[in-house]
Amino acid sequence: MSLRYKRNIIHIKEGEQRSIQGFRVLIGGCGIGSYIAECLLRMGFENLIIIDGDIVELTNLNRQNYVEGDIGINKAIALKDRLMAINPDAKIRAYPEFLDRNNLYSLELDCDVAINALDFSSDIPFLFDEYMAQKNIPVVHPYNLGWAGFLTVITPESHNLRSLDREHQAFEINVGKFIVDRLREKNIDTKWLEDFLSEYGRIATDSPPPQLSLGLSLLSGMVCQVVFNIATDKKIKVFPESYYLSMRE
Amino acid sequence: MSLRYKRNIIHIKEGEQRSIQGFRVLIGGCGIGSYIAECLLRMGFENLIIIDGDIVELTNLNRQNYVEGDIGINKAIALKDRLMAINPDAKIRAYPEFLDRNNLYSLELDCDVAINALDFSSDIPFLFDEYMAQKNIPVVHPYNLGWAGFLTVITPESHNLRSLDREHQAFEINVGKFIVDRLREKNIDTKWLEDFLSEYGRIATDSPPPQLSLGLSLLSGMVCQVVFNIATDKKIKVFPESYYLSMRE
């Protein structure tokens, strides 16, 4: 094991470390994606494609991987700087643009797994999944629930998320209801989450979903586990199955 | 809610946000402590004391919150720079020194909660707990298990960790066995963790414990939850009870 990854030993075997090094992870959306990218890179995923047209604002700093000096800068560009500071040998391709139905097909988005951390303010997340399904690429969907992380994986063989798109303007609320249903099936207490959804529902048309650094930390670990499993041919659950981690009771 | 914390809304009430702002969190050890500090700060804990005499090395970058340019710099100093870049108004007190039985009592370690993320290569973590118990301060113990996070809290009323100190030179192994016992009681599958402990046991006298960025991400979220609960007078579990989060099966 190289010096950089010496402390990964036992947890990650040498062959696995080699496999993940070149495994291409595409991260669509550098909000939630910002910490996910850093966690993956530190673990040894040295081949990342990051995409976001958004610029860093003060309101992002409560949870996203940016500093005050990044305010006003494109997120993909700022994130690439941070990642290269951690590992200058990493291959980081940054696209400082919003995905839309045109560039989705014209950009070179070749990858082995994709993270769909795009805003659900348009239907581009669904088009993103469809594009990846055509290319036979699994898509990881992470959701920051504030006090919890929730994650599901879409594969070409699995169902897709269109079934949750009943009212497009508040997709997050529908995802929330879906999550509550799944958790109830597993007898996990959902009272706090239902309270949150009900309170958020009243302002959802005007406000993007509240999110905490806590939830993003949990999610980063969760995404790393799923991406590692995919890269090393281990079992994962796919949609409508899901993963949920929280200490909130 | 101020602009910086606007996206914390609903999850964190205005009164809670004010409470955590001045709540003093002491972080002993800026390895595991490095990401914990950042997650706490982003959430709104703006009063942090960070302590570590260690310097940043390349082998830390697989998981700790440092970049290549920090190599050779003291961890508490490098971490303070990072935290101040996120929020220049935060009160960050950095002590670039190893705690020992002398400075533990001469430094001004006034705080409302303490994180014990110190190396168990000496008995200073136990002395740290004893010092905090005398001051009636709860102590959070986070453990990075690679594919999982484990956390327990020591309070003046709870048991302390001395009971796990059967063979001092491999305290982590004893903690590991304790964790396996607790998880078994809850019918959580521990095979992977037992395999890890057995493999690590063979090199434990020569090697510090292997740790992943994944485990540290999970842990950062877990510590934030416990510290938030303490700061806002909500219930927590104390040692020998514990918290465990993982997606490893």
Side-chain angles (χ1 to χ4, degrees):
Chain A
M1 209 73 118
S2 74
L3 198 57
R4 179 182 292 273
Y5 298 116
K6 198 180 163 197
R7 295 289 293 280
N8 281 357
I9 56 160
I10 303 179
H11 291 307
I12 298 181
K13 307 300 171 200
E14 286 215 43
E16 291 172 336
Q17 192 73 53
R18 276 193 302 274
S19 299
I20 70 177
Q21 186 182 4
F23 196 78
R24 298 164 305 172
V25 185
L26 183 146
I27 299 173
C30 298
I32 286 179
S34 61
Y35 271 111
I36 290 171
E38 179 158 327
C39 197
L40 284 167
L41 178 64
R42 291 197 188 276
M43 210 166 164
F45 288 88
E46 296 185 355
N47 202 325
L48 304 175
I49 305 167
I50 55 180
I51 312 168
D52 204 320
D54 204 9
I55 62 162
V56 177
E57 294 175 67
L58 178 58
T59 54
N60 302 140
L61 300 193
N62 77 318
R63 64 199 191 285
Q64 296 177 13
N65 192 7
Y66 302 103
V67 298
E68 280 211 357
D70 293 328
I71 292 175
I73 298 177
N74 170 272
K75 288 186 181 178
I77 300 296
L79 180 58
K80 179 174 176 172
D81 281 354
R82 167 76 181 168
L83 299 174
M84 296 301 283
I86 294 168
N87 185 349
D89 298 325
K91 294 196 186 93
I92 314 289
R93 218 155 78 214
Y95 291 99
E97 43 196 306
F98 288 109
L99 284 179
D100 60 37
R101 25 183 100 238
N102 299 316
N103 64 11
L104 183 58
Y105 284 82
S106 63
L107 295 172
E108 285 175 44
L109 302 183
D110 286 336
C111 61
D112 301 303
V113 67
I115 319 291
N116 189 334
L118 300 161
D119 278 347
F120 276 92
S121 51
S122 74
D123 65 347
I124 189 68
F126 301 107
L127 301 176
F128 182 88
D129 283 6
E130 283 159 20
Y131 173 85
M132 294 300 167
Q134 287 165 23
K135 298 211 153 203
N136 209 26
I137 306 291
V139 182
V140 180
H141 282 256
Y143 297 101
N144 181 345
L145 303 177
W147 303 103
F150 181 86
L151 184 160
T152 190
V153 182
I154 309 293
T155 65
E157 297 78 35
S158 76
H159 294 277
N160 64 51
L161 292 190
R162 286 276 186 195
S163 57
L164 303 181
D165 190 29
R166 286 166 296 212
E167 307 154 40
H168 183 67
Q169 70 279 15
F171 179 79
E172 286 89 355
I173 296 288
N174 295 328
V175 171
K177 288 175 186 162
F178 168 79
I179 294 171
V180 165
D181 290 344
R182 292 290 81 68
L183 297 180
R184 277 190 184 156
E185 286 170 8
K186 297 178 190 172
N187 292 317
I188 294 170
D189 184 24
T190 59
K191 170 114 181 29
W192 73 268
L193 185 55
E194 290 173 77
D195 290 348
F196 165 75
L197 289 171
S198 139
E199 202 165 340
Y200 176 53
R202 291 196 281 275
I203 60 164
T205 46
D206 303 319
S207 303
Q211 297 183 348
L212 301 178
S213 58
L214 187 161
L216 187 42
S217 287
L218 296 179
L219 262 184
S220 301
M222 295 170 75
V223 171
C224 279
Q225 180 75 69
V226 163
V227 170
F228 180 82
N229 283 13
I230 293 171
T232 57
D233 287 323
K234 293 178 181 66
K235 226 183 78 180
I236 55 158
K237 296 190 271 190
V238 302
F239 181 75
E241 285 192 275
S242 61
Y243 298 93
Y244 172 85
L245 287 186
S246 179
M247 277 171 41
R248 183 76 186 247
E249 283 165 355
Chain B
M1 209 72 120
S2 74
L3 198 56
R4 180 183 292 274
Y5 299 117
K6 198 179 162 198
R7 295 291 293 279
N8 280 358
I9 56 160
I10 304 179
H11 291 306
I12 298 181
K13 308 300 171 201
E14 286 215 43
E16 292 172 336
Q17 192 72 52
R18 277 193 301 274
S19 301
I20 69 178
Q21 187 182 4
F23 197 78
R24 298 164 304 172
V25 185
L26 182 146
I27 300 173
C30 298
I32 286 179
S34 61
Y35 271 111
I36 290 171
E38 179 159 327
C39 197
L40 284 167
L41 177 64
R42 290 197 188 276
M43 211 165 163
F45 289 89
E46 296 185 355
N47 203 325
L48 304 175
I49 304 168
I50 55 179
I51 311 169
D52 204 320
D54 204 9
I55 61 162
V56 178
E57 295 175 66
L58 179 58
T59 54
N60 301 140
L61 299 193
N62 77 318
R63 65 198 190 286
Q64 296 177 12
N65 193 8
Y66 302 104
V67 298
E68 280 211 0
D70 293 327
I71 291 175
I73 297 176
N74 169 273
K75 288 185 181 179
I77 299 295
L79 180 58
K80 179 174 176 173
D81 281 353
R82 167 77 181 166
L83 298 175
M84 295 302 282
I86 294 168
N87 185 349
D89 298 325
K91 294 196 187 94
I92 314 289
R93 218 155 78 214
Y95 292 99
E97 43 196 306
F98 287 109
L99 284 179
D100 60 38
R101 18 183 105 239
N102 299 316
N103 64 9
L104 183 57
Y105 284 82
S106 63
L107 295 172
E108 284 175 45
L109 302 183
D110 286 336
C111 61
D112 300 303
V113 66
I115 318 291
N116 189 334
L118 300 161
D119 278 348
F120 276 91
S121 51
S122 74
D123 65 347
I124 189 69
F126 300 108
L127 300 177
F128 182 88
D129 284 5
E130 283 159 20
Y131 173 84
M132 295 299 167
Q134 286 166 22
K135 298 211 153 202
N136 209 27
I137 306 291
V139 182
V140 180
H141 282 257
Y143 297 100
N144 182 344
L145 304 177
W147 303 104
F150 181 87
L151 185 161
T152 190
V153 182
I154 310 292
T155 65
E157 296 78 34
S158 76
H159 294 277
N160 65 51
L161 292 189
R162 287 275 186 195
S163 58
L164 303 181
D165 190 28
R166 287 166 298 214
E167 308 153 39
H168 183 68
Q169 70 280 14
F171 178 79
E172 287 90 355
I173 296 288
N174 295 328
V175 171
K177 288 175 185 162
F178 168 79
I179 294 171
V180 165
D181 289 344
R182 292 290 80 70
L183 297 181
R184 277 191 184 154
E185 287 170 8
K186 298 177 190 172
N187 292 317
I188 294 170
D189 184 23
T190 58
K191 168 110 181 30
W192 73 268
L193 185 55
E194 290 174 76
D195 289 347
F196 166 74
L197 289 171
S198 138
E199 202 166 338
Y200 176 53
R202 290 196 282 275
I203 59 165
T205 46
D206 302 320
S207 303
Q211 298 182 348
L212 300 178
S213 59
L214 187 161
L216 187 42
S217 287
L218 296 179
L219 262 185
S220 301
M222 296 169 74
V223 171
C224 280
Q225 180 74 70
V226 162
V227 170
F228 180 83
N229 283 12
I230 293 171
T232 57
D233 288 324
K234 294 179 180 66
K235 225 182 78 180
I236 56 157
K237 297 189 271 190
V238 303
F239 182 76
E241 284 193 275
S242 62
Y243 298 94
Y244 172 85
L245 288 186
S246 179
M247 277 171 41
R248 183 76 184 247
E249 284 165 357

